[in-house]
Amino acid sequence: MAEYHLTTPISEEAARKLKVGDVIYVTGEHVYTARDEAHERAIEMFEKGEKPPVDFEGSVIYHVGPVAWKKDGKWKIVSAGPTTSIRMELFEDAFLRDYKARILVGKGGMGKKTLAALKEVGAVYCSYTGGCGALAAKGLKEVRAYEWQDLGMPEALWVITAEEFGPLLVTMDSHGKSIHEEMDKLVASRKAEVYAKIGVKE
Amino acid sequence: MNDPYQVIHDTTFRLLKKAVTELPSDIKEALETARNNETDETAKTQLSAILTNLEIAETGVPMCQDTGIMIFYVKVGAKFPFAGEIKEAITQACRKATKEIPIRPNAVNPIVGGNSGDNTGVKIPWINWEIVDGDSAQITAFPKGGGSENASIVGMLKPGVGLTGVKKLVVDNAFSYMGKACAPNIIGVGIGGGADIAIKIAKQQLMRPLNDKHPEPEVAKIEEELMDAINSSGIGPMGLGGKTTVLGVKVDYAMRHPASLPVGVAVQCWAARRSTAVISKDLKVTYLTHPLEGN
């Protein structure tokens, strides 16, 4: 387990070095929020040959619908903990192949399609402690743009400058390892013991 | 005399502000105890992040960006003179809270799409009304996050499966969502009544303090068994492993139809936000979960 302080854009080589259990802090201008609808729109644009408002290559894609407000004419992130990433499983593999983002951040982990795409493209998935919106907002220093506003505040594409945004725990890497899969196995192995406590026989 | 509408409105605004920025003390203490009990490094890190986050939030920032859908529990005394003011005052307080705390606009129209932008809209805020004896009104703000709500279920069991079947449903549900509901969780279980009644009872259990045991020993035993069983799963904080998967399991019931065994399971994330105040008939306000300074 190593600790990395990375600056965006992140290269494929740097992303492939990361392993599950590593902790990352990210600094830089290529940090974007994207939930279901932003993923869907980005993929549609790619299919149509259109260019999104930002360059996703080497970026950090944060699964979050932030609370933000405009103070003195400038948007500021107030609270921004991760949302449940598995919803993006529908889109993430295509998104990774289309745009070569290098670090996904969310909570709860993702599935086999994304894990395969991480390996193919050279990227990682990191878990950020769910609900820690106030803590995350500290690392999301500046909002440079608020794109796709028609999707509403949570679903929009927020363009962010991060400073030591973390700790991000690598839970899925480009070597096919997933802490979430391992946890599934561990918990499944305990199921009989748990059932015994409530009088259920399998 | 103060304007009743204004008192209810201002009280509700403070309830929302406190709910989203400060956890009730029982929840916070349980999270601290959990951090001290965990031996797993990842689990400790997750709980420490939550506790640091809570400290930052107490400066007036929502602890979680998902500030929930606007749900209220209102117990109106039959002799409380201002019942007619409550709904509008709560609705307007939601609008003000959206702008001024701020909280995230979380009211989306499921038919035509679109976010109302102010946390109000068709049937939202949702108010659970109860008429009780007395001349005061008790309002609880209960903004509920979407992630943990998505792990809530209703099971219509065959009565033959008995209480073991009920417990299995709750445990199987925890196995299915693992850490995705932002564990450590609080689980409310409602048994009997009907589909709607079971989930309603389940959700009401999330209002109970963590140290509260059901007065009937048979039910208290189910609460304990379920908590012990789920915590032995190893799911842990955020599903990344550890001893603390639930901070509490609370169970209650209603009589059931001979042919039905409905079970509601309401899942709450660690950000168990609730804030309660009582407004008397002469408009004195007592904040129960988040007392005013100096009280």
Side-chain angles (χ1 to χ4, degrees):
Chain A
M1 281 195 242
E3 187 176 304
Y4 294 94
H5 295 259
L6 301 176
T7 303
T8 66
I10 291 150
S11 67
E12 181 181 345
E13 193 194 351
R16 286 200 186 272
K17 265 191 204 159
L18 301 167
K19 294 192 173 68
V20 292
D22 289 345
V23 171
I24 309 174
Y25 293 84
V26 171
T27 298
E29 296 190 346
H30 306 75
V31 176
Y32 309 113
T33 74
R35 293 166 46 119
D36 313 56
E37 293 183 36
H39 277 83
E40 203 172 359
R41 182 170 292 183
I43 292 166
E44 273 171 22
M45 290 181 88
F46 187 86
E47 280 166 1
K48 288 187 200 152
E50 292 169 4
K51 231 176 132 48
V54 296
D55 183 5
F56 290 115
E57 189 166 344
S59 69
V60 175
I61 298 294
Y62 187 16
H63 299 154
V64 61
V67 179
W69 69 359
K70 210 172 189 174
K71 252 192 160 174
D72 307 323
K74 221 174 148 23
W75 282 99
K76 178 139 185 53
I77 302 287
V78 177
S79 190
T83 192
T84 305
S85 297
I86 196 70
R87 292 200 316 273
M88 271 58 80
E89 182 71 5
L90 291 174
F91 315 109
E92 205 69 85
D93 59 332
F95 182 86
L96 284 167
R97 285 187 192 105
D98 292 350
Y99 292 110
K100 316 281 184 286
R102 298 295 172 201
I103 299 179
L104 308 172
V105 181
K107 70 170 162 120
M110 300 188 73
K112 285 197 186 309
K113 272 169 45 185
T114 300
L115 189 61
L118 292 173
K119 192 170 185 176
E120 187 188 317
V121 171
V124 295
Y125 172 87
C126 295
S127 291
Y128 191 80
T129 311
C132 289
L135 182 63
K138 280 201 130 178
L140 305 173
K141 278 283 162 244
E142 193 194 343
V143 174
R144 298 201 313 287
Y146 175 17
E147 303 283 356
W148 298 348
Q149 290 191 25
D150 59 301
L151 299 180
M153 185 188 280
E155 298 287 336
L157 174 71
W158 292 85
V159 180
I160 289 164
T161 302
E163 196 177 295
E164 290 288 302
F165 171 50
L168 311 173
L169 175 69
V170 180
T171 52
M172 294 166 70
D173 63 20
S174 65
H175 312 284
K177 290 263 271 181
S178 162
I179 289 184
H180 307 283
E181 269 187 14
E182 286 168 21
M183 276 304 302
D184 285 348
K185 281 182 204 150
L186 172 84
V187 171
S189 75
R190 291 198 183 167
K191 201 164 179 176
E193 186 193 324
V194 174
Y195 272 174
K197 286 177 184 276
I198 53 166
V200 174
K201 288 182 202 104
E202 252 185 309
Chain B
M1 188 165 152
N2 290 326
D3 174 26
Y5 170 86
Q6 200 60 42
V7 171
I8 300 167
H9 171 276
D10 295 353
T11 303
T12 307
F13 177 80
R14 184 177 186 272
L15 289 176
L16 279 172
K17 170 108 189 175
K18 286 295 172 185
V20 301
T21 57
E22 280 177 44
L23 283 183
S25 55
D26 61 320
I27 312 281
K28 201 176 166 190
E29 280 158 25
L31 288 165
E32 279 163 2
T33 307
R35 181 192 44 193
N36 299 339
N37 286 348
E38 286 286 358
T39 44
D40 181 285
E41 259 329 294
T42 306
K44 261 191 185 309
T45 310
Q46 299 301 313
L47 289 164
S48 295
I50 290 170
L51 290 164
T52 310
N53 181 66
L54 289 179
E55 276 173 36
I56 299 170
E58 282 177 12
T59 63
V61 181
M63 64 187 77
C64 178
Q65 75 295 333
D66 180 358
T67 46
I69 192 154
M70 294 295 111
I71 297 175
F72 292 84
Y73 288 82
V74 178
K75 290 183 183 177
V76 195
K79 294 188 180 126
F80 181 69
F82 312 113
E85 310 278 355
I86 296 176
K87 190 178 178 202
E88 183 60 17
I90 286 180
T91 304
Q92 291 302 338
C94 290
R95 293 192 174 128
K96 181 177 152 99
T98 307
K99 272 191 269 174
E100 294 184 15
I101 296 175
I103 55 176
R104 196 174 74 182
N106 273 343
V108 174
N109 187 313
I111 306 300
V112 297
N115 191 320
S116 71
D118 65 2
N119 275 306
T120 72
V122 180
K123 295 187 172 59
I124 296 293
W126 179 265
I127 302 173
N128 295 284
W129 295 98
E130 194 180 334
I131 297 171
V132 296
D133 288 339
D135 54 13
S136 60
Q138 178 180 302
I139 302 177
T140 298
F142 187 76
K144 180 69 167 63
S148 62
E149 189 66 7
N150 289 347
S152 300
I153 55 164
V154 176
M156 300 303 289
L157 306 183
K158 292 183 176 66
V161 301
L163 285 175
T164 307
V166 171
K167 292 176 206 165
K168 184 171 184 290
L169 182 81
V170 179
V171 166
D172 284 346
N173 191 43
F175 274 119
S176 77
Y177 61 78
M178 296 280 286
K180 291 185 183 69
C182 282
N185 299 115
I186 302 163
I187 299 178
V189 182
I191 307 167
D196 59 331
I197 299 167
I199 193 66
K200 201 155 189 151
I201 293 173
K203 217 162 193 178
Q204 282 167 352
Q205 302 317 299
L206 304 176
M207 235 71 53
R208 286 167 56 190
L210 285 173
N211 64 2
D212 182 51
K213 279 188 185 170
H214 197 281
E216 295 173 35
E218 298 87 348
V219 183
K221 186 164 169 264
I222 299 172
E223 293 178 345
E224 261 172 52
E225 274 178 10
L226 283 172
M227 183 160 166
D228 179 41
I230 295 170
N231 277 338
S232 68
S233 67
I235 293 170
M238 296 301 144
L240 296 170
K243 293 181 213 170
T244 322
T245 308
V246 286
L247 299 174
V249 179
K250 304 292 174 198
V251 182
D252 199 12
Y253 67 95
M255 305 307 271
R256 66 174 177 83
H257 184 284
S260 321
L261 179 54
V263 183
V265 184
V267 182
Q268 170 67 61
C269 58
W270 62 258
R273 291 156 288 188
R274 59 178 154 82
S275 189
T276 304
V278 175
I279 304 176
S280 69
K281 72 169 188 315
D282 49 5
L283 298 171
K284 289 211 170 64
V285 183
T286 311
Y287 291 97
L288 300 180
T289 45
H290 298 82
L292 290 169
E293 307 265 319
N295 275 20

